[in-house]
Amino acid sequence: RVAAFKATSVCVMMSEVDTVETEEAEGTITNSATMRTVLALRNIFYSNGNIEETFNPDLRVVVQLSQECPFMTATNFCNPVGNPVLFPQDLTKYINTLLFICATRP
C-alpha cells in the first residue's frame, strides 16, 4: 500500500505500455493503460473512508498522453470542494511543434 490518497500530486506516464497495447489492438484502442491507471487512482481516492476527511483538497493528477484521447475527459473527477483533479496533457502536438521549430532553427 502506498497511501496514494494522501498525495498532493500524481503524475501518470504509461506511454510505453500504451504503445504496446495500441500495436496489439492494431490501432483500435489508444491510451488503454493510462485509462486503467486513472480509473484505479479515482477508485482509490473515492473508496478510502470519509471523502471529506481523507481526500486532499490540493490533489492534482497530471496525465501524460502519448496520443490524442478524446474520451479522457470522461475519467475526470473533482475534489470535495468541486475543483477538477485530473489534468490530461497531450504532448504530441507540443513535441511536434518543438521538433519543427528546432529543425528550422539550427
Side-chain angles (χ1 to χ4, degrees), residues 27-58:
T28 58
I29 301 172
T30 60
N31 298 309
S32 58
T34 300
M35 294 291 292
R36 285 194 310 273
T37 304
V38 169
L39 291 173
L41 280 171
R42 180 180 174 174
N43 184 49
I44 289 168
F45 295 134
Y46 280 112
S47 65
N48 192 37
N50 187 353
I51 294 173
E52 285 77 23
E53 292 177 11
T54 60
F55 203 110
N56 189 333
D58 297 325

